[in-house]
Amino acid sequence: MFYKPSKILLLIFITLAFFILLPDSASAAILRVQTAKSTSTGGVVSVAWPAPTTAGNFLVAVVSGEGDIVGPIFTAPTGWTQAVTKTETCSPCAGAVRTSIYYKENAASESSTGNFTTDNVGLMVIVAEYSGIVTSSSLDVTATNSGTSTSPSTGTTATTAQANELLIGGLATKTNSTFSSPTNSFAIVDQANITSPDPTSDAFLDRIVSATGTYSTGATITSATWVGAIATFKGAVPTITSISPQSATACSNTLGFLTLTVNGTNFLSDSVVNSNNSPKPTIYISATQLTANIFPDVAGAYNITVTNPDPGGGTSNAVTFTTNPLVATITAIAPQSAVVGDP
C-alpha cells in the first residue's frame, strides 16, 4: 500500500499532534487527592477536609488509640467500613494500643468525616481521599503485626488479586514516637500523637502499585510496643463496552485513517487506545468515551484495548475490530462485443 505525498503529510501531522497535545503531566489512574488529621483526648474525633471531597471518590482512615489491657474499642461514622484492626498489649504499662483501617467506597461529597469514637479518651484519626478506586467490593487483602522493637511493621499480605491497587498501612505505638524511613517504597502520608492520658502515636502510609504481589511496610522508631496493619484496595481498570464502527474495508478511506469511537468506563484524560497492542492517537471525550485514529490498511482482526497510565493503571478487555479485504468489482466493460476477424 502506497500513500500519496499529501496523505503521508496528513498522517505525520496526526501522529505529532497526538504527542504534542498530551497533558503536561500524566494523571495517575489512582491518585491521592487530599489528606487531613485530627486528635482528641475526649474520645470523639471528626476530621474536617481541607476541601469538600469529590462525589464518587474513595476515602480511607487510619484510626489509632490506647486503652486498658484489652485495648480500646472504636466506632466509625455511618458509611465507613472497617478493613482490618490490630491490638497489642503493653505488659510494662498495663495497657494496650490499637490501630484500625476504615474505608468508604463511592462516597458522597463531604466536608468532614463525622464522628469516630473510642471507649477510652485518646484517639487519633488520619484520613485521605483517593480517586481511581472501584466503587464497590474494593477491599482485597489485609495483614497485621505487633511487637516491641524499633521497627514496627504491618505484616505481609497474601498475593493481591489484580495489578493496580492502593496499599494503605497503619502503624501505632504505645508511646510518643516519630516514624521515619518507611520501607518497601511506601510514603508516610502523615503522623499524629497524643500526650495524655497516655502518650500514643500513629502513622498513615500509602503506596500505589501496578503489579500483583505480596506487600508489607514498616518504619523506624525509638523502641516501643507497636501494632501495624495493611489493607489493599482495587483500582478501577478501564473497560470497553462497544466500539463504532466495528469494521471497515481495507484502504477504503481516502484520508488513510478511520476515527474509531470507543465507549466504556474508567477512562482518563491520558488513556490510550491500542490496536493489537500498538498505541494510536487518542482523544479523551469523557470518562466513558474516547476516539482514536486507526489505520485499516491490511485485512484482518484487530484487538482494540484501552490502557490507563501507571501508577495504578491497567489495560481493558479487548474488543475486535475487523478490516475486511478490498474486493474488486466490475461495473462496466468497453467494448462489450466485437466482430470475428476485426483487428
Side-chain angles (χ1 to χ4, degrees):
M1 173 72 190
F2 294 96
Y3 291 121
K4 296 178 181 179
S6 60
K7 191 175 292 185
I8 294 173
L9 289 174
L10 179 60
L11 297 179
I12 293 173
F13 172 78
I14 293 169
T15 302
L16 289 174
F18 170 59
F19 293 102
I20 292 172
L21 295 177
L22 282 175
D24 290 337
S25 59
S27 60
I30 300 174
L31 180 68
R32 188 196 318 139
V33 178
Q34 60 178 330
T35 66
K37 68 179 177 181
S38 186
T39 64
S40 173
T41 56
V44 179
V45 170
S46 179
V47 185
W49 294 100
T53 61
T54 299
N57 275 357
F58 181 80
L59 311 180
V60 63
V62 171
V63 180
S64 304
E66 53 79 34
D68 59 24
I69 198 164
V70 298
I73 298 173
F74 303 145
T75 58
T78 300
W80 289 82
T81 301
Q82 182 179 278
V84 63
T85 189
K86 180 64 176 176
T87 301
E88 176 71 1
T89 299
C90 174
S91 298
C93 56
V97 59
R98 178 190 295 266
T99 193
S100 300
I101 298 173
Y102 292 88
Y103 64 99
K104 194 174 187 181
E105 299 172 324
N106 195 23
S109 178
E110 64 180 37
S111 298
S112 63
T113 61
N115 290 336
F116 288 89
T117 66
T118 177
D119 63 345
N120 206 299
V121 291
L123 187 63
M124 302 166 288
V125 181
I126 305 173
V127 294
E129 175 188 7
Y130 294 86
S131 61
I133 304 298
V134 295
T135 56
S136 63
S137 303
S138 60
L139 180 62
D140 187 7
V141 291
T142 65
T144 61
N145 200 11
S146 62
T148 300
S149 69
T150 61
S151 303
S153 63
T154 60
T156 302
T157 68
T159 301
T160 52
Q162 66 178 48
N164 60 316
E165 296 209 6
L166 169 66
L167 316 181
I168 299 295
L171 300 172
T173 60
K174 190 71 171 69
T175 186
N176 282 150
S177 301
T178 299
F179 299 87
S180 63
S181 305
T183 63
N184 299 333
S185 301
F186 276 70
I188 296 177
V189 176
D190 208 341
Q191 46 190 309
N193 66 80
I194 51 177
T195 57
S196 66
D198 293 305
T200 314
S201 298
D202 77 342
F204 182 124
L205 302 91
D206 75 0
R207 181 184 174 189
I208 299 165
V209 297
S210 299
T212 58
T214 59
Y215 291 101
S216 66
T217 189
T220 299
I221 58 170
T222 55
S223 185
T225 295
W226 51 264
V227 290
I230 185 172
T232 78
F233 300 94
K234 300 171 187 174
V237 177
T239 61
I240 297 177
T241 56
S242 65
I243 59 174
S244 180
Q246 296 178 341
S247 63
T249 300
C251 307
S252 62
N253 193 305
T254 56
L255 292 176
F257 68 89
L258 179 147
T259 298
L260 183 71
T261 299
V262 180
N263 301 303
T265 60
N266 301 323
F267 299 153
L268 302 174
S269 60
D270 47 6
S271 294
V272 175
V273 174
N274 312 290
S275 176
N276 282 355
N277 298 319
S278 175
K280 301 303 176 185
T282 302
I283 296 175
Y284 173 83
I285 305 300
S286 70
T288 59
Q289 189 173 88
L290 305 169
T291 63
N293 294 324
I294 63 173
F295 306 88
D297 302 331
V298 180
Y302 295 83
N303 285 330
I304 303 300
T305 58
V306 173
T307 298
N308 283 350
D310 288 333
T315 298
S316 73
N317 56 304
V319 175
T320 301
F321 176 88
T322 303
T323 300
N324 299 311
L326 181 63
V327 179
T329 59
I330 298 175
T331 58
I333 60 172
Q336 296 179 342
S337 62
V339 176
V340 174
D342 280 356

